Each structure stands twice: as structure tokens, then as C-alpha cells.
Amino acid sequence: MPWTDWKPLYPKTPFTESSLRETLDGGQAFRWKRIESENIWEGIWGRDIAQLTLAPKGALAFRFPEGHEGASLSSLNNYLLLDTDWAQRIDQLPWRSDPALKAALEAQPGLRLLNQPFPETLLCFLCSATKQIPQIKIMCENLAREIGSPLFPKGPHALPTWDQLSHVSEAFLRSLGLGFRAKNIKKTADLITQSPGILETIEALPYAEAKAKLLEFPGVGSKIADCALLFGAQKYEAFPVDTWILKSLRKRYGLDGWSNAQMERFGRVHLGPDAGYAQQFLFAYERANA
DNA sequence: AGGCAGGTGGCCA
DNA sequence: TGGCCACCTGCC
């Protein structure tokens, strides 16, 4: 596949090699891969595809497949949230009074959140239950290849839409390696297609109401709902509590014996309106030190 | 070979 | 609310 020439992008907050990797391939998104032996990342979101690489001074360079540049640049800018002042957001977090958070922030300078399409974020995280990142990526890849539409003739595939998912059987989803997640995805697809516009509605709702609606979908519990809202709907109050955050809060904050619900509440109360952003640092930090 | 993994939901006290 | 368990599948 021929690509255009590299062009520069200047994010308000600079990247590093490590923050680029952690942002694209650290568990927020599941469709980025590193091109062999080169420091190039290739990723697909919605109906767009791009390659990225680090440029001098924390800038990025990007390119698109030749002939498919279309509206991609504004989409890329929006996806990567290049105009967001992440340093300013970090400064608002309570790191001054929280040594554990301070250490996590300093370990991953340049880490940021992505702004992924909401419907596919929900799908990816429905796949994520009790799976590790490499396995989740394989499931997403299978879904895209077998059910999703090609981005352009002979091109790679987008993740399937919920409408496309509603047209396949649970057995077929199981054949893609989804296991018990197949039933949840199938049922969720049926519910979504029965209520046209429901995901757009949910995405536009305030955090608490959006979460309550998401919890009505089978297979979507508190953690998956928070991931979909944080990574796919820019609800930064969302504080997904997974096994890593559980470990982090137990070990570094001394919250032994707390329930997941209590942990969630602690995160949102202690870390504030950008709790989800802080969560991403704690998550990366805990995983790096595993 | 058997246990465990970015969880959820059902059941029981 | 809290504890316990089944649930697919693949990897260590």
C-alpha cells in the first residue's frame, strides 16, 4: 500500500517515544501496531487509517494511504486531541499532596487520552473482559476482518458497526474467538439496533446518566462502561477500576479491603474531574512495575 | 496439566 | 452490600 509523504504535526503537549507507545498501544485503543523494525505506528479508527512516527522536539509526523487522504487530517487531529493542553490538565491533578500520583505522572511524561469513536470503543471493551491486551487486539482484528467493511477497495477493514454485528449469529462471533463475550455483543447489538440513535444520545449525556444507560447493555458493567465513556466519549470523570488500578490503590494508597465500588468513589472524589486521566497514569505505572 | 487473565451477572446470605 | 462461581479461550 503506497503512502503519501510524511507531514509534520505539532501537538500542544510534546510526545516522547515512550508516551507515543503508551498512548497508542497501552490499552486505550486496540488497533495500533508497530511496523516491524521501524518506529512507525499504524492505526485504524472509524473509517480512517494513518501512520505516525515521532519527529524532533516531541512533534509527530503522519501519512495516509495515497489517494485516501480525504478528511483524514482533521479526523486525526480530533482523534489525537492535539490541541488539548495536557500539561495544564496534569497540573490540576492533586499530585502536590499525592506522592503515588506524582511518581506515576513523572514516569510517563507526555501520556494522554485518545478521543475514539464511541460505538467502536464500546465494542472493543466488550471484548476486553478477562483478556490481556494482545488477546483483545486479536479479537478486534478478527471482528474487523470478518465483519467490518474495507476502508477502501482492497484496503484494511474498519471495525464492524453495531448494525453489521446485529446481522451475524452468536455462533459466528464465537468462531472469531470471542468466547462468552459473543453472547453479550450479539445481545447488545440487537438492543442498539432496536433503538436507533441510542449511542449518540448516551454519548451526549452527562457522565452519570450516560453510565446508567450503558449499564443496561448485557456484558457492560461498571468498568467497561467507564472505559467506553473515558476513551470514547471524553467523560474524564469516569474512573475505570480494573485489576491494575485495584493493585495500585491497595498498594500505593493503602486501601486494603475496599470494594470496587468504594475504589471508584475514592478515585472520583480524590482525583476530581480528570480522574480518568489520572487513572491512565496509575494504570501505566502499575503495569510497568509489574 | 491447570490456573489465570483490563469483568459481569446470577444467586444467596 | 459482600462473597462465590460460571463463563470461552489461549498462553504460561
Side-chain angles (χ1 to χ4, degrees), chain A residues 8-11 13-16 20 53-61:
Chain A
L9 275 182
Y10 300 102
T13 306
F15 278 95
T16 65
L20 184 60
T53 192
L54 194 67
K57 297 184 186 172
L60 297 178

Side-chain angles (χ1 to χ4, degrees), chain A residues 36-88:
Chain A
E36 301 300 328
S37 74
E38 296 180 85
N39 282 330
I40 295 176
W41 290 95
E42 181 174 316
I44 299 170
W45 69 97
R47 301 202 51 77
D48 287 304
I49 178 171
Q51 287 190 345
L52 295 175
T53 192
L54 194 67
K57 297 184 186 172
L60 297 178
F62 72 94
R63 60 185 186 180
F64 300 127
E66 252 173 34
H68 304 284
E69 298 87 334
S72 292
L73 180 53
S74 64
S75 171
L76 181 60
N77 191 77
N78 183 44
Y79 177 83
L80 293 174
L81 294 168
L82 292 178
D83 297 330
T84 299
D85 187 345
W86 296 103
Q88 191 263 345

Side-chain angles (χ1 to χ4, degrees), chain A residues 84-120:
Chain A
T84 299
D85 187 345
W86 296 103
Q88 191 263 345
R89 283 181 170 269
I90 285 174
D91 196 54
Q92 311 278 31
L93 293 171
W95 55 271
R96 291 174 183 80
S97 57
D98 182 341
L101 176 62
K102 185 163 186 278
L105 294 173
E106 285 169 352
Q108 295 286 342
L111 176 62
R112 63 186 65 215
L113 296 173
L114 296 170
N115 178 25
Q116 302 177 64
F118 185 49
E120 68 181 46

Side-chain angles (χ1 to χ4, degrees), chain A residues 11-12 53 58 77 114 133 155 169 171 180 184 190 198 217 237 246 248 254 261 264 267:
Chain A
K12 186 166 283 230
T53 192
N77 191 77
L114 296 170
I133 292 170
S169 68
F180 63 79
N184 294 331
D190 291 340
I198 178 102
F217 295 125
E237 314 96 298
L246 224 43
S248 172
E264 265 183 54

Side-chain angles (χ1 to χ4, degrees), chain A residues 147 161-169 172 186 189-190 193:
Chain A
I147 310 175
T161 63
W162 286 104
D163 185 60
Q164 286 174 316
L165 287 164
S166 74
H167 291 293
V168 301
S169 68
F172 183 66
K186 176 60 180 167
D190 291 340
T193 50

